[in-house]
Amino acid sequence: MTEHTLNGVALPDEQGFFGEYGGQFIPPHLKQAMDDINQAYEEIRQQPTFQQELQELFTHYVGRPSPIFHAKRLSEQLGGAQIFLKREDLNHTGAHKINHCLGEALLAKYMKKSKVIAETGAGQHGVALATACALVGIPCEIHMGQVDIEKEHPNVVKMKILGATLVPVTRGTATLKDAVDNAFEEYLKDPTNFIYAIGSVVGPHPFPKMVRDFQSIVGKEIKQQFQERFHQLPDYVVACVGGGSNAIGAFTAFLADDSVKLVGVEPAGMGLETDKHAATMTKGKPGQIHGMACYVLEDDKGEPLPVHSIASGLDYPGVGPEHSYLKDLGRVRYESATDQECLDAFMRLSRIEGIIPALESSHAVAWAIREAPRMSKDARIVVNLSGRGDKDADYVANKLGL
Ligand SMILES: Cc1ncc(COP(=O)(O)O)c(C=O)c1O
């Protein structure tokens, strides 16, 4: 399996740092549990049988490689760059999350864990993990904020059908950050027998590395698909950023290709000038959250701020450490799209291409809609369409009075 380096520097280093970000800011007994996970992961990823099992599941279970679709009508209407969609929405369970959930569930089986615990925001990670655990045969417990439970009803039902135990979280703002806090507390009760299967490239080492490795298939495929079809690399690769797993998955294969511009799109919510957004890198500063050092939206006392996004999977006050490093390095540009731009993009893509995107992915689509008209017609933008919008259909219909 590929070792990841940039400019000769290992990403992450042995201690799990990406520059000054990442690491393990956790109590000593949890550090042992994380080191055990890291060791097991390093063992398993070298095993040809593990890689083969994962590849076979990617092909025959998930449906990889996911296609790249040229959104011709949208591109023509915008009159600028050509927009291509990497169709992670077509994966089994409807989003990119299944890529790392299969890896995490196989690791749990290898480590003979008795229960897999996780948080979920939009429910996509929860559904993907419940699916992977059903496949592998391990009990699965998902913690989800009450606000998100009400918003993402179809995913809640699916998790239950798949046999997962759903734990509603009512503390705090009853959204993603609170779900992570709750799930971590449950995990801490027995880190020897339980395993935390985090839903993004966040948390203490080794999670940002492990989830990145499982997701990096997305960028590898984009590269190969572009080389086969155009004998060229794309000009832009664009992805929405919550914790950052779909974005890092799409970006990793291109980090050393300077001609490819990489753009992460954060949720600007009701506006960057308000306190109702979750644009961690645009408005936050280096700090710590959930066992890692990264950009954080926090108050003067260092407490995470309440955040907001129309997309449940993006309203998180932290962000992956590798993204924090890539921002400081200037290798990835982090921009944002508002709730309104996201809704407009959701409707526009649905009506002009017949593809209903997830509200999370709609942020990346919104960026392309805003920027493509300023580019030449032969520029090519790949948008990572991280998930499908079935889960959001009722919410959007109510909001728009459809
Ligand atoms: C479809 C989809 N895209 C993106 C995200 C955001 O997560 P990440 O930034 O880790 O890709 C989520 C999270 O739930 C999601 O469901």
Side-chain angles (χ1 to χ4, degrees):
M1 212 179 179
T2 336
E3 298 302 330
H4 294 277
T5 57
L6 185 61
N7 306 327
V9 176
L11 292 182
D13 68 14
E14 289 272 302
Q15 277 68 47
F17 279 96
F18 303 84
E20 64 186 276
Y21 304 104
Q24 292 176 323
F25 295 88
I26 46 180
H29 70 294
L30 191 54
K31 181 168 174 8
Q32 187 55 54
M34 291 299 133
D35 289 347
D36 291 347
I37 294 176
N38 188 39
Q39 196 188 338
Y41 171 63
E42 288 301 329
E43 275 165 26
I44 195 177
R45 79 186 191 109
Q46 312 290 349
Q47 292 176 2
T49 47
F50 168 73
Q51 292 301 341
Q52 196 181 337
E53 190 173 2
L54 191 60
Q55 280 313 317
E56 276 176 16
L57 288 174
F58 277 169
T59 309
H60 303 295
Y61 192 70
V62 179
R64 304 208 69 88
S66 63
I68 290 209
F69 174 71
H70 184 186
K72 279 198 198 115
R73 278 176 30 91
L74 178 64
S75 308
E76 258 163 44
Q77 196 181 62
L78 293 168
Q82 303 306 307
I83 298 174
F84 293 81
L85 306 172
K86 175 64 173 164
R87 302 289 313 273
E88 290 298 292
D89 61 312
L90 293 179
N91 293 344
H92 178 44
T93 71
H96 68 294
K97 300 279 179 187
I98 192 75
N99 301 330
H100 65 246
C101 286
L102 285 172
E104 288 178 323
L106 290 178
L107 180 67
K109 184 174 84 170
Y110 176 79
M111 293 184 78
K112 301 191 172 44
K113 298 288 184 179
S114 64
K115 181 163 83 173
V116 177
I117 301 170
E119 81 296 337
T120 195
Q124 286 303 129
H125 175 64
V127 168
L129 193 65
T131 300
C133 287
L135 178 75
V136 165
I138 299 184
C140 174
E141 184 177 295
I142 306 288
H143 296 240
M144 187 170 187
Q146 189 60 39
V147 168
D148 296 334
I149 288 182
E150 277 150 35
K151 199 160 146 197
E152 307 288 358
H153 187 251
N155 276 344
V156 173
V157 176
K158 281 187 205 159
M159 284 184 265
K160 290 184 179 167
I161 291 173
L162 289 160
T165 305
L166 191 84
V167 181
V169 179
T170 51
R171 67 210 256 175
T173 54
T175 56
L176 184 55
K177 177 199 163 280
D178 311 293
V180 178
D181 290 340
N182 223 66
F184 240 97
E185 278 167 25
E186 176 61 22
Y187 169 62
L188 284 178
K189 289 181 188 160
D190 189 358
T192 312
N193 290 305
F194 301 164
I195 188 165
Y196 196 112
I198 220 153
S200 191
V201 281
V202 296
H205 177 62
F207 285 106
K209 168 183 75 170
M210 224 164 66
V211 172
R212 185 263 327 261
D213 289 353
F214 294 135
Q215 286 296 344
S216 61
I217 181 78
V218 177
K220 276 186 207 147
E221 285 177 6
I222 298 175
K223 200 168 198 176
Q224 194 180 346
Q225 287 164 322
F226 253 70
Q227 274 162 341
E228 279 169 13
R229 200 153 147 193
F230 303 111
H231 310 289
Q232 267 178 2
L233 297 179
D235 298 288
Y236 288 84
V237 178
V238 185
C240 67
V241 179
S245 64
N246 87 91
I248 213 76
F251 296 164
T252 296
F254 296 102
L255 286 181
D257 298 308
D258 290 339
S259 68
V260 183
K261 295 174 206 63
L262 306 173
V263 184
V265 187
E266 298 195 292
M270 295 184 184
L272 292 175
E273 68 291 356
T274 71
D275 58 1
K276 296 226 169 330
H277 64 77
T280 309
M281 278 193 293
T282 312
K283 299 288 278 188
K285 56 180 198 289
Q288 284 176 20
I289 186 171
H290 294 137
M292 61 174 167
C294 63
Y295 273 81
V296 188
L297 284 166
E298 57 184 20
D299 63 18
D300 298 340
K301 295 189 198 86
E303 289 300 312
L305 286 167
V307 284
H308 161 85
S309 167
I310 192 170
S312 303
L314 301 185
D315 61 353
Y316 183 60
V319 66
E322 188 165 0
H323 284 290
S324 305
Y325 178 66
L326 293 170
K327 171 188 160 73
D328 286 3
L329 224 55
R331 178 62 191 98
V332 181
R333 255 160 65 193
Y334 293 89
E335 303 195 0
S336 61
T338 63
D339 285 355
Q340 189 57 52
E341 287 176 301
C342 160
L343 268 179
D344 293 346
F346 178 98
M347 291 306 297
R348 193 157 176 182
L349 193 70
S350 301
R351 296 204 165 167
I352 199 164
E353 299 288 359
I355 296 173
I356 304 177
L359 283 172
E360 290 77 15
S361 326
S362 302
H363 285 74
V365 178
W367 184 93
I369 289 175
R370 193 201 306 149
E371 298 298 325
R374 300 181 199 167
M375 297 177 197
S376 79
K377 285 193 175 159
D378 51 12
R380 296 189 183 106
I381 302 175
V382 180
V383 173
N384 193 20
L385 204 71
S386 54
R388 68 176 83 127
D390 305 28
K391 67 183 178 58
D392 303 310
D394 286 349
Y395 174 79
V396 173
N398 280 337
K399 197 158 176 78
L400 300 182
L402 300 177

